[in-house]
mmCIF file of all heavy atoms in Angstrom:
data_model
loop_
_atom_site.group_PDB
_atom_site.id
_atom_site.type_symbol
_atom_site.label_atom_id
_atom_site.label_comp_id
_atom_site.label_asym_id
_atom_site.label_seq_id
_atom_site.Cartn_x
_atom_site.Cartn_y
_atom_site.Cartn_z
ATOM 1 N N ALA B 1 0.870 -1.190 -0.005
ATOM 2 C CA ALA B 1 -0.009 -0.001 0.005
ATOM 3 C C ALA B 1 0.910 1.253 0.009
ATOM 4 O O ALA B 1 1.858 1.335 0.759
ATOM 5 C CB ALA B 1 -0.915 -0.004 1.232
ATOM 6 N N TYR B 2 0.538 2.187 -0.850
ATOM 7 C CA TYR B 2 1.333 3.404 -1.026
ATOM 8 C C TYR B 2 0.904 4.459 -0.011
ATOM 9 O O TYR B 2 -0.277 4.707 0.173
ATOM 10 C CB TYR B 2 1.152 3.937 -2.441
ATOM 11 C CG TYR B 2 1.798 5.261 -2.727
ATOM 12 C CD1 TYR B 2 3.188 5.322 -2.972
ATOM 13 C CD2 TYR B 2 1.083 6.425 -2.773
ATOM 14 C CE1 TYR B 2 3.796 6.526 -3.266
ATOM 15 C CE2 TYR B 2 1.684 7.641 -3.039
ATOM 16 C CZ TYR B 2 3.057 7.689 -3.285
ATOM 17 O OH TYR B 2 3.657 8.890 -3.553
ATOM 18 N N LEU B 3 1.880 5.070 0.653
ATOM 19 C CA LEU B 3 1.581 6.119 1.647
ATOM 20 C C LEU B 3 1.986 7.535 1.166
ATOM 21 O O LEU B 3 1.337 8.521 1.531
ATOM 22 C CB LEU B 3 2.307 5.838 2.970
ATOM 23 C CG LEU B 3 1.973 4.551 3.688
ATOM 24 C CD1 LEU B 3 2.798 4.400 4.963
ATOM 25 C CD2 LEU B 3 0.494 4.508 4.054
ATOM 26 N N GLY B 4 3.029 7.608 0.414
ATOM 27 C CA GLY B 4 3.500 8.916 -0.032
ATOM 28 C C GLY B 4 4.955 8.836 -0.440
ATOM 29 O O GLY B 4 5.468 7.776 -0.713
ATOM 30 N N ARG B 5 5.633 9.997 -0.494
ATOM 31 C CA ARG B 5 7.009 10.072 -0.891
ATOM 32 C C ARG B 5 7.898 10.305 0.301
ATOM 33 O O ARG B 5 7.531 10.981 1.263
ATOM 34 C CB ARG B 5 7.176 11.213 -1.895
ATOM 35 C CG ARG B 5 6.510 11.008 -3.209
ATOM 36 C CD ARG B 5 7.196 10.019 -4.080
ATOM 37 N NE ARG B 5 8.567 10.444 -4.351
ATOM 38 C CZ ARG B 5 9.512 9.659 -4.897
ATOM 39 N NH1 ARG B 5 9.207 8.427 -5.184
ATOM 40 N NH2 ARG B 5 10.688 10.113 -5.139
ATOM 41 N N THR B 6 9.077 9.692 0.287
ATOM 42 C CA THR B 6 10.032 9.907 1.389
ATOM 43 C C THR B 6 10.528 11.363 1.405
ATOM 44 O O THR B 6 11.016 11.846 2.407
ATOM 45 C CB THR B 6 11.242 8.979 1.287
ATOM 46 O OG1 THR B 6 11.860 9.169 0.005
ATOM 47 C CG2 THR B 6 10.793 7.540 1.440
ATOM 48 N N ASP B 7 10.431 12.051 0.223
ATOM 49 C CA ASP B 7 10.818 13.446 0.244
ATOM 50 C C ASP B 7 9.760 14.362 0.904
ATOM 51 O O ASP B 7 9.871 15.571 0.917
ATOM 52 C CB ASP B 7 11.147 13.970 -1.188
ATOM 53 C CG ASP B 7 10.018 13.726 -2.162
ATOM 54 O OD1 ASP B 7 8.880 13.476 -1.739
ATOM 55 O OD2 ASP B 7 10.296 13.723 -3.377
ATOM 56 N N GLN B 8 8.705 13.713 1.419
ATOM 57 C CA GLN B 8 7.752 14.426 2.242
ATOM 58 C C GLN B 8 8.178 14.466 3.718
ATOM 59 O O GLN B 8 7.482 15.000 4.568
ATOM 60 C CB GLN B 8 6.356 13.771 2.164
ATOM 61 C CG GLN B 8 5.625 14.019 0.856
ATOM 62 C CD GLN B 8 4.220 13.437 0.898
ATOM 63 O OE1 GLN B 8 4.017 12.235 1.031
ATOM 64 N NE2 GLN B 8 3.235 14.287 0.822
ATOM 65 N N GLN B 9 9.362 13.884 4.030
ATOM 66 C CA GLN B 9 9.803 13.883 5.377
ATOM 67 C C GLN B 9 10.113 15.333 5.814
ATOM 68 O O GLN B 9 10.762 16.108 5.104
ATOM 69 C CB GLN B 9 11.094 13.056 5.540
ATOM 70 C CG GLN B 9 10.805 11.557 5.454
ATOM 71 C CD GLN B 9 12.129 10.772 5.713
ATOM 72 O OE1 GLN B 9 13.203 11.325 5.633
ATOM 73 N NE2 GLN B 9 11.979 9.535 5.998
ATOM 74 N N VAL B 10 9.703 15.666 7.018
ATOM 75 C CA VAL B 10 10.010 16.974 7.599
ATOM 76 C C VAL B 10 10.382 16.782 9.039
ATOM 77 O O VAL B 10 10.170 15.730 9.619
ATOM 78 C CB VAL B 10 8.778 17.921 7.509
ATOM 79 C CG1 VAL B 10 8.442 18.244 6.060
ATOM 80 C CG2 VAL B 10 7.580 17.328 8.203
ATOM 81 N N LYS B 11 11.017 17.812 9.628
ATOM 82 C CA LYS B 11 11.335 17.744 11.037
ATOM 83 C C LYS B 11 10.433 18.658 11.826
ATOM 84 O O LYS B 11 10.336 19.841 11.500
ATOM 85 C CB LYS B 11 12.828 18.109 11.236
ATOM 86 C CG LYS B 11 13.753 16.919 11.077
ATOM 87 C CD LYS B 11 15.044 17.152 11.791
ATOM 88 C CE LYS B 11 15.870 15.877 11.828
ATOM 89 N NZ LYS B 11 17.133 16.059 12.568
ATOM 90 N N ILE B 12 9.755 18.085 12.807
ATOM 91 C CA ILE B 12 8.870 18.849 13.672
ATOM 92 C C ILE B 12 9.481 18.783 15.085
ATOM 93 O O ILE B 12 9.479 17.690 15.702
ATOM 94 C CB ILE B 12 7.436 18.287 13.683
ATOM 95 C CG1 ILE B 12 6.861 18.225 12.278
ATOM 96 C CG2 ILE B 12 6.552 19.114 14.617
ATOM 97 C CD1 ILE B 12 6.633 19.584 11.644
ATOM 98 N N ARG B 13 10.024 19.888 15.575
ATOM 99 C CA ARG B 13 10.617 19.955 16.890
ATOM 100 C C ARG B 13 11.588 18.808 17.140
ATOM 101 O O ARG B 13 11.548 18.141 18.162
ATOM 102 C CB ARG B 13 9.529 20.042 17.961
ATOM 103 C CG ARG B 13 8.643 21.261 17.829
ATOM 104 C CD ARG B 13 7.854 21.522 19.071
ATOM 105 N NE ARG B 13 6.947 20.474 19.447
ATOM 106 C CZ ARG B 13 5.751 20.342 18.926
ATOM 107 N NH1 ARG B 13 5.320 21.166 17.997
ATOM 108 N NH2 ARG B 13 4.952 19.355 19.282
ATOM 109 N N GLY B 14 12.465 18.538 16.143
ATOM 110 C CA GLY B 14 13.526 17.568 16.308
ATOM 111 C C GLY B 14 13.142 16.152 15.914
ATOM 112 O O GLY B 14 14.036 15.271 15.868
ATOM 113 N N HIS B 15 11.873 15.884 15.614
ATOM 114 C CA HIS B 15 11.443 14.560 15.215
ATOM 115 C C HIS B 15 11.217 14.512 13.701
ATOM 116 O O HIS B 15 10.604 15.433 13.111
ATOM 117 C CB HIS B 15 10.142 14.175 15.923
ATOM 118 C CG HIS B 15 10.254 14.034 17.385
ATOM 119 N ND1 HIS B 15 10.731 12.848 17.977
ATOM 120 C CD2 HIS B 15 9.998 14.880 18.397
ATOM 121 C CE1 HIS B 15 10.751 13.006 19.309
ATOM 122 N NE2 HIS B 15 10.293 14.225 19.582
ATOM 123 N N ARG B 16 11.691 13.459 13.056
ATOM 124 C CA ARG B 16 11.471 13.265 11.609
ATOM 125 C C ARG B 16 10.070 12.730 11.399
ATOM 126 O O ARG B 16 9.718 11.687 11.933
ATOM 127 C CB ARG B 16 12.506 12.338 11.024
ATOM 128 C CG ARG B 16 12.458 12.307 9.482
ATOM 129 C CD ARG B 16 13.657 11.626 8.899
ATOM 130 N NE ARG B 16 14.900 12.343 9.181
ATOM 131 C CZ ARG B 16 15.286 13.432 8.510
ATOM 132 N NH1 ARG B 16 14.571 13.885 7.501
ATOM 133 N NH2 ARG B 16 16.417 14.027 8.808
ATOM 134 N N VAL B 17 9.266 13.434 10.654
ATOM 135 C CA VAL B 17 7.854 13.119 10.435
ATOM 136 C C VAL B 17 7.612 12.762 8.981
ATOM 137 O O VAL B 17 8.030 13.501 8.109
ATOM 138 C CB VAL B 17 6.944 14.254 10.903
ATOM 139 C CG1 VAL B 17 5.493 13.990 10.535
ATOM 140 C CG2 VAL B 17 7.089 14.483 12.395
ATOM 141 N N GLU B 18 6.936 11.663 8.714
ATOM 142 C CA GLU B 18 6.473 11.315 7.371
ATOM 143 C C GLU B 18 5.056 11.809 7.208
ATOM 144 O O GLU B 18 4.111 11.357 7.844
ATOM 145 C CB GLU B 18 6.478 9.772 7.213
ATOM 146 C CG GLU B 18 7.842 9.125 7.398
ATOM 147 C CD GLU B 18 8.718 9.206 6.182
ATOM 148 O OE1 GLU B 18 8.288 9.856 5.196
ATOM 149 O OE2 GLU B 18 9.829 8.638 6.224
ATOM 150 N N LEU B 19 4.867 12.833 6.348
ATOM 151 C CA LEU B 19 3.522 13.359 6.158
ATOM 152 C C LEU B 19 2.562 12.326 5.639
ATOM 153 O O LEU B 19 1.378 12.336 5.993
ATOM 154 C CB LEU B 19 3.593 14.555 5.202
ATOM 155 C CG LEU B 19 4.416 15.771 5.659
ATOM 156 C CD1 LEU B 19 4.431 16.864 4.633
ATOM 157 C CD2 LEU B 19 3.923 16.286 7.015
ATOM 158 N N GLY B 20 3.048 11.425 4.785
ATOM 159 C CA GLY B 20 2.204 10.357 4.275
ATOM 160 C C GLY B 20 1.701 9.434 5.364
ATOM 161 O O GLY B 20 0.554 8.935 5.308
ATOM 162 N N GLU B 21 2.506 9.193 6.372
ATOM 163 C CA GLU B 21 2.086 8.355 7.497
ATOM 164 C C GLU B 21 0.974 9.018 8.252
ATOM 165 O O GLU B 21 -0.004 8.374 8.671
ATOM 166 C CB GLU B 21 3.275 8.085 8.389
ATOM 167 C CG GLU B 21 2.990 7.108 9.534
ATOM 168 C CD GLU B 21 4.226 6.791 10.369
ATOM 169 O OE1 GLU B 21 5.321 7.265 10.019
ATOM 170 O OE2 GLU B 21 4.076 6.072 11.390
ATOM 171 N N VAL B 22 1.093 10.340 8.506
ATOM 172 C CA VAL B 22 0.041 11.073 9.197
ATOM 173 C C VAL B 22 -1.265 11.027 8.400
ATOM 174 O O VAL B 22 -2.357 10.803 8.941
ATOM 175 C CB VAL B 22 0.487 12.528 9.492
ATOM 176 C CG1 VAL B 22 -0.635 13.307 10.111
ATOM 177 C CG2 VAL B 22 1.750 12.564 10.313
ATOM 178 N N GLU B 23 -1.137 11.231 7.107
ATOM 179 C CA GLU B 23 -2.331 11.218 6.222
ATOM 180 C C GLU B 23 -3.020 9.870 6.249
ATOM 181 O O GLU B 23 -4.238 9.772 6.217
ATOM 182 C CB GLU B 23 -1.924 11.634 4.813
ATOM 183 C CG GLU B 23 -1.537 13.095 4.716
ATOM 184 C CD GLU B 23 -1.001 13.451 3.311
ATOM 185 O OE1 GLU B 23 -0.623 12.512 2.558
ATOM 186 O OE2 GLU B 23 -0.890 14.650 3.007
ATOM 187 N N ALA B 24 -2.209 8.817 6.252
ATOM 188 C CA ALA B 24 -2.770 7.451 6.250
ATOM 189 C C ALA B 24 -3.582 7.176 7.470
ATOM 190 O O ALA B 24 -4.660 6.545 7.425
ATOM 191 C CB ALA B 24 -1.668 6.416 6.087
ATOM 192 N N VAL B 25 -3.123 7.680 8.627
ATOM 193 C CA VAL B 25 -3.874 7.440 9.876
ATOM 194 C C VAL B 25 -5.205 8.194 9.867
ATOM 195 O O VAL B 25 -6.226 7.634 10.232
ATOM 196 C CB VAL B 25 -3.001 7.868 11.091
ATOM 197 C CG1 VAL B 25 -3.819 7.726 12.354
ATOM 198 C CG2 VAL B 25 -1.762 6.997 11.162
ATOM 199 N N PHE B 26 -5.195 9.434 9.399
ATOM 200 C CA PHE B 26 -6.424 10.200 9.333
ATOM 201 C C PHE B 26 -7.364 9.617 8.280
ATOM 202 O O PHE B 26 -8.598 9.574 8.489
ATOM 203 C CB PHE B 26 -6.114 11.653 9.022
ATOM 204 C CG PHE B 26 -5.829 12.496 10.229
ATOM 205 C CD1 PHE B 26 -4.526 12.626 10.688
ATOM 206 C CD2 PHE B 26 -6.812 13.150 10.962
ATOM 207 C CE1 PHE B 26 -4.234 13.393 11.827
ATOM 208 C CE2 PHE B 26 -6.545 13.907 12.052
ATOM 209 C CZ PHE B 26 -5.236 14.026 12.524
ATOM 210 N N ALA B 27 -6.837 9.183 7.158
ATOM 211 C CA ALA B 27 -7.686 8.630 6.094
ATOM 212 C C ALA B 27 -8.413 7.382 6.528
ATOM 213 O O ALA B 27 -9.448 7.038 5.957
ATOM 214 C CB ALA B 27 -6.827 8.372 4.864
ATOM 215 N N ALA B 28 -7.871 6.703 7.550
ATOM 216 C CA ALA B 28 -8.534 5.463 8.008
ATOM 217 C C ALA B 28 -9.789 5.753 8.856
ATOM 218 O O ALA B 28 -10.584 4.823 9.090
ATOM 219 C CB ALA B 28 -7.530 4.639 8.830
ATOM 220 N N HIS B 29 -9.976 7.005 9.274
ATOM 221 C CA HIS B 29 -11.170 7.333 10.041
ATOM 222 C C HIS B 29 -12.376 7.365 9.135
ATOM 223 O O HIS B 29 -12.338 7.974 8.039
ATOM 224 C CB HIS B 29 -10.988 8.674 10.725
ATOM 225 C CG HIS B 29 -12.019 8.996 11.762
ATOM 226 N ND1 HIS B 29 -13.303 9.369 11.467
ATOM 227 C CD2 HIS B 29 -11.935 8.946 13.144
ATOM 228 C CE1 HIS B 29 -13.987 9.562 12.582
ATOM 229 N NE2 HIS B 29 -13.200 9.337 13.599
#
């Protein structure tokens, strides 16, 4: 299953965040 691109990685207060991973969790609701 496709989540997004690794170049969507960003750092939020020192943590590396995958935007696609966040979107996948919300999309499951």
Side-chain angles (χ1 to χ4, degrees):
Y2 175 79
L3 298 179
R5 294 286 299 169
T6 56
D7 53 18
Q8 286 185 296
Q9 288 185 343
V10 295
K11 275 203 170 182
I12 305 293
R13 299 197 297 277
H15 295 277
R16 189 168 296 280
V17 172
E18 301 278 5
L19 297 180
E21 184 177 355
V22 177
E23 291 173 345
V25 176
F26 274 90
H29 192 284

